[in-house]
């Protein structure tokens, strides 16, 4: 009944992993192809139902037949065809490709492919072997009993056919070639390791009129079968119904693995005779025959459904089209097998990259959703736009940025999916991202950059290899500042790669981004990339975005296209959607309804809301209200299964719930191919949440309260701990665990029921199960976010509770919330590593180590059944110290640095002590002994290399082994180093010295000598004394330097030239200058942060000559890796942390002894300091929360991001802890 063709490659024992994506074009693939293997398989498969197409699953029970020596089976040509796998042609020479033909419902392994049942027109055997580009392949057919006209097992399903095919492919033997490593039932094999070799051998799939989304005729056929006595209804027939649940599930599963395959889909264009006089009908529309995946190639055949896979002769135009497609696939497979490809890097694992970049899901879900909304005949206009053609032309380097703008609900996202599909079909490398303000994180600039990087890496092995190396730098990409991502991933790596092909980035929803200005500022850098990059942005036209684009025009080429003149797309889309769903309605009635459609989205939504409000059933109205409450305020789209569990609707199956959503929700929500329940548009959410004086609406506070209760019910399920341990969590549990605190924050603070539920959760063992679950799923950052939400809820709730004298039990509940708010963040900081390694340690191992006043200790640390007793803990309360590093008596530390997993401490005697930042154990390579006095040290960004500059020599060390990689004598004048930087991928050391010179050392050569890079001829200023420089600071890429003098203002230079930029003058007129004792460049801005000797911090923009000052009394200064925070230390032992942008105080710490040096950890959650003969590691709540806030996007209220200078920051005081130098045990009793 339906046909399709699949292409597979045979895989040998040394064949490695398939690349995740293979683009489908008529040109040779630009994607990395599979490694050489002795035999590849290109398999055309015709199929009757979506089983083999959509999920690549096919076939039932078969037997195996071996080809005869003349390659043809002479005795069966007149028969319908053999069951099982049947070799119908094998070349005399060695072959590398197998083509397997699989028929469809009601077909047969030979009759399906033979015109008029003529064996001479069995084209896979009679035509294809004569083709020069196909004759080197082996050709097989696969037959199975799917004749619905005969009686049989009514329960046979699509899955049964798939399993049978996999069995045949695995165990069928060929006397000459052994195992037949080809396969079709691709999806089923993905879930069974027994079929892994088969699945890895599949290269391509070609579909011939395959009903991916079903057909309305399946219902009619099923009814006919039920009404006859000779036959009966078949399960596999009912599974082919239009948009059946089985097909939707198969489509959803297949789309995740489809990018690994080349996919070609052919569709019929003529109606088919159904045997009733002259009656003809379209069996399959194009929309059901085409998957709509990125990279899929779709082609029309001039045939009806019966003849789409049957051809008159080798000159038949339809045959030529199919033959060319198969020939192209075969050529690619043979070419990739025989070419000498570069082996993938050892660390090239997509899973590793996904973990490193913290990618929860790739944007395919959004793409498929909007692609499914596309209606034929729409969006084509953009391909004729001159500005679009200029932008898409890879040879034209003048147009790199294009902005498509339009109003709300004008089809921008559908247009984006259309453009993506068009680019990929042409063989271009296309990456995309759909920003969504209603979906948590999808408006985040950080997630956008990480997602685009992940997609580029999948297509570019060199890029993936270098990005994976960033793991050594210990950057927490999930919480890293977007500018850090841009600098480290894009500007440092991608922009410097050799230009192989143009990259096309499609970013939809610009106006829904958390910070559109920041995104556009970053994209202005793409003109400096060696790799050609084209960016297309889609979004609403807002004043903010227009202003930024006006400025961008001055630095980059920018074009704009307005969508407003093409609103006919929306009408066409709505019309086709209504016609598709009309079913029993007369088309004239549908057209009349379309003509009466109100103009304007609000009027449309009013009509939709009225249908809900006017529902005569109170039960249905209540269910509709509940469903819409969940859909409008959920932090991400919920699946049907998740929603069913959230509603606790035991009487509703998933399929029933799908129908309820469609019937009751008035069209406000839709269910995509992934079974995700989403709002039809962001404007629909806005309408429902702002529904004053409207027929129907959603109360935001009540909706969040309902979602909070739903989450709590899921987290307090009986038997949950056992399910978590056995990895049998309910679908809704993941959402409940990560989102309940966000809903809590948005519930009415005066709700007593919410407070009671929260107290029950925090006061019982449920809270430990929740922590275990998050640790198991590597989501410990959620604990930090929940801590912040609990603190805010506690502060809001206090205003509504009664006086303590009247309601003492309410005060106890408040204190419980407050204590857990602190415990959660401390548990992550102090025991995060333990929890990741052993999530169950939260029950009995961790609580006894917590302070006795903490909630976790009070509830779980002193119970009778505990297995661990800890005595002698020094404090009753949590503190911010997580480690103290003692260097021994008589030692004196002067400098500390942290990079990767290393903490390096410079000792005055000329050695460097190395510590592991996770365990604070001294490294095996420590101490590193230079052999003379060391003036300065520098760690590489990943902590792998250490540079030490001594009096006579400069040395480069490997921190993992302690081996000296290079030793170079210093210049004879013996200048003192003031600034050092390892740059150019750790192949060059830059040093600025007190003689106002910058020199370089090439680390790729051994021996290596110093090269003079620049000599700074500082101009003398009247009234100022110019002497030797006392401090220097190099920026992160080594292009800028700041130089300080004792009697001269700070000076800034461009090293290339060198070119003098300007001087930094004090803001107070009576003091024209001041001695600068510390200075650092901002990692991402052209800005210098410095410290005057009297303790005043200044911020200077040398190109704008703008200065800002803040009196702190500090003597030491450090800036975080992303530049958002800086820390100061003083002689009294106080450390203060400020925001760089506003000089807002975030945190301050008072302790003993002078702070001699300090630095931030790479993940920004800690800072380290040295105070003479010991050092400290601090992890305050404020830093952890500030770091986590980066990963949640900028739309939520920032706790520390914009603090005024007079703000009240969290404070901590830590007393002196004396070093233990000796221990003596008592001869009596357990004493020491």
């Amino acid at each position: 009944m339906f046909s399709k063709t699949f292409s597979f490659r045979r895989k040998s024992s040394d064949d490695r992993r398939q690349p995740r994506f293979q683009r489908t074009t008529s040109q040779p693939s630009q994607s990395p192809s599979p490694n050489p293997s002795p035999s590849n398989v290109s398999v055309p498969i015709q199929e009757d139902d979506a089983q083999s197409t959509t999920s690549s699953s096919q076939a039932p029970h078969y037997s195996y037949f071996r080809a005869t020596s003349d390659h043809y089976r002479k005795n069966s040509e007149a028969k319908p065809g053999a069951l099982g796998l049947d070799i119908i042609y094998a070349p005399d020479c060695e072959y590398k490709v197998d083509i397997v033909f699989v028929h469809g419902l009601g077909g047969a392994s030979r009759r399906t492919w033979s015109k008029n049942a003529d064996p001479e027109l069995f084209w896979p055997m009679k035509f294809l072997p004569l083709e020069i580009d196909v004759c080197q392949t082996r050709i097989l057919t696969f037959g199975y009993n799917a004749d619905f006209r005969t009686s049989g097992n009514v329960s046979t399903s699509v899955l049964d056919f798939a399993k049978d095919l996999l069995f045949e492919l695995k165990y069928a033997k060929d006397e000459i070639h052994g195992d037949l490593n080809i396969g079709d039932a691709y999806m089923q094999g993905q879930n069974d390791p027994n079929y892994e070799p088969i699945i890895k051998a599949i290269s391509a799939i070609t579909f011939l009129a395959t009903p991916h989304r079903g057909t309305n005729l399946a219902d009619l056929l099923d009814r006919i079968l039920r009404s006859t006595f000779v036959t009966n209804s078949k399960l596999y027939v009912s599974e082919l119904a239009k948009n059946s649940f089985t097909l939707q599930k198969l489509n959803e599963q297949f789309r995740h693995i489809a990018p690994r395959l080349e996919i070609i889909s052919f569709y019929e264009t003529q109606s088919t005779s159904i045997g009733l006089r002259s009656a003809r009908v379209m069996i399959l529309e194009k929309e059901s025959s085409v998957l709509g995946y990125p990279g899929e190639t779709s082609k029309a055949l001039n045939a009806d459904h019966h003849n789409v896979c049957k051809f008159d002769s080798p000159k038949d135009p339809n045959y030529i089209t199919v033959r060319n497609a198969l020939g192209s696939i075969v050529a690619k497979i043979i070419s990739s097998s025989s070419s000498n490809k570069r082996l993938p890097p050892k660390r090239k694992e997509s899973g590793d990259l996904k973990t490193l970049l913290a990618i929860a899901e790739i944007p395919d879900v959004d793409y498929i959703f909007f692609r499914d909304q596309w209606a034929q005949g729409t969006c084509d206009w953009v391909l004729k736009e001159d500005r679009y053609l200029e932008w898409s032309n890879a040879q034209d380097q003048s147009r790199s940025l294009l902005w498509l703008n339009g109003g709300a609900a004008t089809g921008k996202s559908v247009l984006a999916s259309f453009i993506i599909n068009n680019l990929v079909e042409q063989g271009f490398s296309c990456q995309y991202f759909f920003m969504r303000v209603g979906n948590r994180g999808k408006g985040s600039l950080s997630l956008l950059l990480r997602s685009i990087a992940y997609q580029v890496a999948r297509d570019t092995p060199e890029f993936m290899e270098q990005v994976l190396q960033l793991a050594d730098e210990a950057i927490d990409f999930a919480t890293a500042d977007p500018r850090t991502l841009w600098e480290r991933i894009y500007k440092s790596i991608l922009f410097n790669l050799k230009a192989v092909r143009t990259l096309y980035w499609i970013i939809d929803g610009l106006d829904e981004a958390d910070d559109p200005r920041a995104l556009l500022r970053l994209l202005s850098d793409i003109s400096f990339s060696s790799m050609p990059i084209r960016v297309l942005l889609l979004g609403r036209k807002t004043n903010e975005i227009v202003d930024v684009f006006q400025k961008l025009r001055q630095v980059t080429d920018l074009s704009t296209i307005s969508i407003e003149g093409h609103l006919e797309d929306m009408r066409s889309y709505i019309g086709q959607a209504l016609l598709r769903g009309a079913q029993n309605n007369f088309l004239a009635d549908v057209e009349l309804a379309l003509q009466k459609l109100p103009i304007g989205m609000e009027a449309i939504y009013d009509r939709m809301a009225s249908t809900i409000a006017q529902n005569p059933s109170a039960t249905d109205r209540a269910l509709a209200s509940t469903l819409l409450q969940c859909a409008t305020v959920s932090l991400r789209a919920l699946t049907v299964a998740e929603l069913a569990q959230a509603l606790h609707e035991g009487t509703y199956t998933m399929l029933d719930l799908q129908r309820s959503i469609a019937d009751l929700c008035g069209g406000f929500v839709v269910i995509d191919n992934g079974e995700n329940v989403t709002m039809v548009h962001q404007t629909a959410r806005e309408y429902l949440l702002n529904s004053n004086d409207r027929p129907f609406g959603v109360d935001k506070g009540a909706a969040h309260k309902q979602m909070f209760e739903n989450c709590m019910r899921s987290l307090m399920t009986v038997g949950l701990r056992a399910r978590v341990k056995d990895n049998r969590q309910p679908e809704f549990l993941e959402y409940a665990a990560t989102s309940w605190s966000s809903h809590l924050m948005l519930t009415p603070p005066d709700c007593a029921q919410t407070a009671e539920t929260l107290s029950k959760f925090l006061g019982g063992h449920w809270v430990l199960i929740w922590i275990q679950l998050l640790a198991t799923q590597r989501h410990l950052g959620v604990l930090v976010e929940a801590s912040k939400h609990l603190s805010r809820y506690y502060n809001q709730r206090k205003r509504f509770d009664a006086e303590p004298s009247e309601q003492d039990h309410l005060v106890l509940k408040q204190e419980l919330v407050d204590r857990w708010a602190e415990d959660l963040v401390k548990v992550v900081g102090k025991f995060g590593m333990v929890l990741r390694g052993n999530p169950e340690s939260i029950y009995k191992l961790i609580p006894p180590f917590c302070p006795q006043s903490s909630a976790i200790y009070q509830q779980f640390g002193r119970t009778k059944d505990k297995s661990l007793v800890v005595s002698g803990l020094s404090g009753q309360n949590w503190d911010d110290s997580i480690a103290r590093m003692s260097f021994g008596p008589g030692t004196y530390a002067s400098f500390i640095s942290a990079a990767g997993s290393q903490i390096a401490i410079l000792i005055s005697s000329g050695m460097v002590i190395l510590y592991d930042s996770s365990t604070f154990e001294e490294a095996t390579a420590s101490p590193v002994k230079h052999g003379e006095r060391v003036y300065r040290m520098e760690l590489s960004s990943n902590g792998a290399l250490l540079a030490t500059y001594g009096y006579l020599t400069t040395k480069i060390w490997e921190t993992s082994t302690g081996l000296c990689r290079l030793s170079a004598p210093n210049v004879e004048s013996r200048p003192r180093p003031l600034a050092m930087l390892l740059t150019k991928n750790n192949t060059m050391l830059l040093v600025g010295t007190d003689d106002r010179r910058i020199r370089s050392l090439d680390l790729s050569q051994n021996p290596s000598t110093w090269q003079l890079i620049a000599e700074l001829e500082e101009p003398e200023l009247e009234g100022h004394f110019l002497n030797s420089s006392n401090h220097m600071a190099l920026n992160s890429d080594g292009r800028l330097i700041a130089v300080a003098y004792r009697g001269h203002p700070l000076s800034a230079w461009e090293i290339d030239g060198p070119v003098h930029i300007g001087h930094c003058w004090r803001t107070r007129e009576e003091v024209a200058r001041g001695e600068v004792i510390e200075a650092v460049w901002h990692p991402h801005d052209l800005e210098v942060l410095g410290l005057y000797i009297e303790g005043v911090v200044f911020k200077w923009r040398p190109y704008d000559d703008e200065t800002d000052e803040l009196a702190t009394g500090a003597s030491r200064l450090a800036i975080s890796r992303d530049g958002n925070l800086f820390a100061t230390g003083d002689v009294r032992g106080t450390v203060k942390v400020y925001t760089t942008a506003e000089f807002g105080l975030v945190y301050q710490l008072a302790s003993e002894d002078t702070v001699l040096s300090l630095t931030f950890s790479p993940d920004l959650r800690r800072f380290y300091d040295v105070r003479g003969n010991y050092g400290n590691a601090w992890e305050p709540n404020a830093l952890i929360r500030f770091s986590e806030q980066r990963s949640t996007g900028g739309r939520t209220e920032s706790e520390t991001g914009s603090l005024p200078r007079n703000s009240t920051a969290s404070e901590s005081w830590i007393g002196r802890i004396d070093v233990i130098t000796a221990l003596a045990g008592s001869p009596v009793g357990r004493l020491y």
Side-chain angles (χ1 to χ4, degrees), residues 199 209 323 385 451 467 501 580 690 819 849 978 1073:
I199 297 304
R323 178 206 64 191
E385 285 279 341
S451 178
V467 171
R501 53 180 174 174
R580 287 196 301 267
N690 300 279
R819 289 202 305 268
F849 282 96
L978 302 178
R1073 68 175 185 276

Side-chain angles (χ1 to χ4, degrees), residues 1034-1184:
L1034 288 160
N1035 80 327
S1036 58
D1037 60 9
R1039 298 180 181 180
L1040 302 174
I1041 190 169
V1043 187
Y1045 310 87
R1046 288 182 176 83
H1048 200 270
L1050 183 72
S1051 185
W1053 293 79
E1054 293 179 0
I1055 294 178
D1056 188 11
V1059 177
H1060 186 259
I1061 302 173
H1063 294 100
C1064 178
W1065 300 95
R1066 298 297 298 271
T1067 57
R1068 301 193 300 274
E1069 295 181 0
E1070 65 272 14
V1071 181
R1073 68 175 185 276
E1075 181 180 343
V1076 176
I1077 58 174
E1078 293 268 12
V1080 289
W1081 283 91
H1082 192 287
H1084 308 307
D1085 289 336
L1086 301 177
E1087 183 176 274
V1088 178
L1089 196 70
L1091 179 65
Y1092 290 115
I1093 193 170
E1094 68 268 28
V1096 175
V1097 174
F1098 68 90
K1099 183 170 55 178
W1100 175 46
R1101 302 184 66 86
Y1103 285 97
D1104 301 326
D1105 198 22
E1106 297 177 355
T1107 308
D1108 197 5
E1109 294 184 359
L1110 174 69
T1112 63
S1115 58
R1116 290 294 180 262
L1117 176 72
I1119 193 169
S1120 64
R1121 186 164 185 163
D1122 63 359
N1124 290 316
L1125 298 173
F1126 70 90
T1128 64
D1130 61 28
V1131 296
R1132 296 177 299 277
T1134 302
V1135 177
K1136 297 179 181 180
V1137 180
Y1138 298 86
T1139 58
T1140 308
E1142 297 88 7
F1143 282 169
L1145 182 61
V1146 175
Y1147 171 80
Q1148 61 181 1
L1149 166 79
S1151 187
E1152 304 282 347
D1153 299 322
T1154 300
V1155 178
L1156 301 175
S1157 178
L1158 71 165
T1159 187
F1160 284 90
S1161 66
D1163 62 4
L1164 314 182
R1165 297 168 182 264
R1166 302 173 178 172
F1167 63 85
Y1168 310 109
D1169 64 34
V1170 290
R1171 305 175 185 238
N1173 63 354
Y1174 69 94
N1176 298 294
W1178 310 97
E1179 191 169 70
N1181 296 357
L1183 284 194
I1184 297 176

Side-chain angles (χ1 to χ4, degrees), residues 422-442:
N422 180 264
L423 290 172
V424 176
E425 279 191 342
Q426 297 181 67
F428 294 134
S429 178
C430 181
Q431 294 78 41
Y432 51 89
F433 191 83
F434 292 82
M435 289 195 160
R436 291 293 168 264
V437 68
N439 207 334
R440 179 172 57 183
K442 287 196 175 179

Side-chain angles (χ1 to χ4, degrees), residues 734-913:
E734 187 272 338
Y735 179 90
T738 57
S739 306
W740 69 263
S741 67
S742 298
H743 290 296
L744 172 69
M745 272 298 302
L746 298 171
T747 58
D750 58 343
C751 179
Q753 180 184 351
T754 298
E756 189 66 31
T757 303
L758 179 62
S759 298
K760 179 181 178 181
F761 173 70
L762 296 178
H765 66 284
W766 314 109
V767 66
L768 298 186
I769 301 175
W770 169 60
I771 295 174
Q772 178 199 1
L773 174 64
L774 294 177
T776 303
Q777 297 178 340
R778 298 294 191 268
H779 289 332
L780 287 181
V782 174
L783 295 178
V784 180
E785 183 180 0
S787 168
K788 179 174 59 178
H789 292 159
L790 286 176
S791 294
R792 294 182 182 175
Y793 177 78
Y794 168 75
N795 293 328
Q796 293 175 358
R797 180 69 186 171
K798 283 195 302 185
R799 298 196 301 267
F800 292 95
D801 283 339
E803 293 297 324
S805 58
E806 300 178 8
Q807 298 285 348
D808 290 339
H809 68 283
L810 294 179
V811 175
L812 294 176
K813 292 178 180 179
Q814 288 179 8
E815 292 176 352
L816 179 66
V817 174
D818 189 37
R819 289 202 305 268
W820 270 109
E822 183 177 17
D823 287 1
L824 292 179
V825 70
K826 289 300 184 182
V827 164
V828 175
K830 293 184 180 292
F831 306 108
M833 292 292 294
V834 177
L835 275 172
R836 292 184 185 96
N838 180 16
E840 289 197 337
S841 62
I842 191 61
Y843 294 107
K844 293 185 178 181
L845 296 181
I846 291 177
F849 282 96
C850 298
Q852 294 181 9
S853 64
S854 64
I856 188 172
Y857 180 87
Q858 292 288 329
Q859 294 174 219
F860 309 106
R862 57 181 185 181
T863 55
K864 295 180 181 180
D865 60 345
K866 64 174 179 279
S867 58
L868 183 65
V869 178
V870 180
S871 57
L873 292 177
S874 57
Q876 292 288 319
N877 301 304
W878 294 104
D879 59 50
D880 295 332
S881 174
I882 60 172
R884 174 159 292 192
M885 299 162 283
S886 297
F887 315 135
T891 58
Y892 184 83
S894 60
F895 187 73
I896 186 169
S897 179
S901 61
Q902 301 289 340
I903 301 173
I905 297 169
L906 179 61
I907 306 298
S908 58
S909 61
M911 67 179 183
V912 177
I913 301 178

Side-chain angles (χ1 to χ4, degrees), residues 677-690:
V677 182
T678 63
M679 302 301 297
V680 68
H681 194 267
Q682 174 60 20
T683 55
R685 176 181 284 105
E686 296 170 355
Y687 172 90
L688 290 173
L689 293 176
N690 300 279

Side-chain angles (χ1 to χ4, degrees), residues 56-338:
S56 312
S57 3
Q58 5 270 321
H61 178 69
Y62 334 94
S63 58
Y64 171 75
F65 296 84
R66 183 175 63 84
T68 57
S69 58
D70 64 351
H71 316 313
Y72 300 93
R73 200 174 305 279
K74 301 290 187 179
N75 61 349
S76 61
E77 292 177 345
K79 298 179 181 179
L83 298 180
L85 282 170
D86 186 13
I87 301 175
I88 61 173
Y89 168 78
D92 295 326
C93 59
E94 179 184 1
Y95 62 91
K96 295 184 177 181
V97 180
D98 283 331
I99 302 179
V100 179
F101 286 78
V102 180
H103 64 82
L105 186 67
S109 61
R110 293 192 174 224
R111 185 183 63 229
T112 290
W113 312 98
S114 304
K115 185 84 170 186
N116 300 323
D118 186 349
E120 293 301 318
L121 298 182
F122 179 38
W123 62 273
M125 188 173 74
K126 297 295 186 178
F127 299 173
L128 280 184
L130 304 178
E131 304 291 347
I132 191 170
D133 50 355
V134 183
C135 64
Q136 298 181 42
T137 68
R138 184 170 63 170
I139 303 175
L140 309 92
T141 62
F142 178 75
Y144 58 98
N145 183 14
D147 190 349
F148 51 78
R149 292 163 294 190
T150 60
S151 59
N153 191 344
V154 298
S155 62
T156 300
S157 68
V158 167
L159 182 60
D160 296 319
F161 294 155
K163 290 180 178 179
D164 286 342
L165 176 56
L166 283 172
F167 182 86
E168 285 288 326
L169 293 171
K170 179 175 177 62
Y171 295 107
K173 302 287 182 179
D174 177 51
E175 289 181 359
I176 299 176
H177 299 285
D179 285 343
L180 186 59
N181 288 324
I182 59 174
D184 175 24
Y186 196 66
M187 264 311 307
Q188 186 63 24
Q190 290 284 330
N191 302 319
D192 192 333
N194 292 324
Y195 300 119
E196 182 178 0
I198 297 173
I199 297 304
K200 289 183 177 181
I202 300 175
S203 292
I205 301 179
T206 304
F207 298 110
L208 283 169
T210 304
H212 302 296
R213 294 171 183 83
T215 172
N216 290 327
L217 294 180
D219 289 329
L220 176 61
L221 175 59
D222 192 48
R223 287 194 295 268
I224 293 174
L225 294 177
R226 292 175 185 272
S227 63
T228 61
F229 295 100
V230 178
T231 63
N232 46 32
S233 175
K234 304 293 194 300
L235 177 58
Y236 54 78
V237 173
S238 61
E239 288 176 335
L240 287 178
K242 187 79 168 181
N243 293 321
S244 74
F245 179 74
T246 298
L247 291 183
Q248 291 182 28
K249 183 177 180 180
L250 291 175
N251 277 319
E252 164 60 16
Q253 293 173 338
F254 186 55
R255 70 174 177 80
H256 291 291
I257 48 85
R260 308 173 193 174
L261 304 169
E262 180 168 353
I263 297 177
I264 302 178
S265 298
F266 295 99
Y267 57 92
E268 63 204 64
T269 56
Q270 295 184 11
S271 57
T272 302
S273 172
I274 58 175
L276 300 174
R277 297 182 180 179
S278 61
R280 305 183 68 86
V281 65
M282 283 295 294
I283 303 294
L284 282 182
E285 301 287 349
K286 178 184 177 181
E287 64 158 2
S288 187
S289 299
V290 176
L291 286 164
Y293 293 164
E296 175 191 14
T297 300
S298 60
K299 295 181 180 295
L301 294 179
N302 185 25
D304 59 21
H305 192 70
H306 289 160
N307 295 303
V308 75
C309 53
K310 301 177 180 69
F311 311 118
D312 295 320
S313 70
K315 296 182 180 181
D316 189 322
N318 289 334
Y319 168 76
I320 294 173
T321 300
V322 175
R323 178 206 64 191
N324 290 342
L326 293 176
S328 174
I329 293 172
V330 171
K332 291 177 187 178
I333 296 175
I334 294 177
S335 174
S336 66
S337 299
S338 58

Side-chain angles (χ1 to χ4, degrees), residues 396-463:
D396 184 3
Q397 300 298 326
S398 62
R399 299 294 183 185
S400 58
L401 203 59
L402 177 63
W403 180 31
L404 272 69
N405 58 70
T410 52
K412 296 183 293 296
S413 299
V414 175
L415 179 61
S417 70
F418 174 82
I419 293 172
I420 293 167
N421 186 75
N422 180 264
L423 290 172
V424 176
E425 279 191 342
Q426 297 181 67
F428 294 134
S429 178
C430 181
Q431 294 78 41
Y432 51 89
F433 191 83
F434 292 82
M435 289 195 160
R436 291 293 168 264
V437 68
N439 207 334
R440 179 172 57 183
K442 287 196 175 179
S444 163
L445 177 54
S446 170
L447 180 57
L448 181 149
L449 296 177
R450 287 182 279 124
S451 178
I452 294 292
Y454 177 72
Q455 295 175 67
V456 173
R458 291 187 305 185
D459 282 347
T460 313
E462 297 84 358
F463 179 62

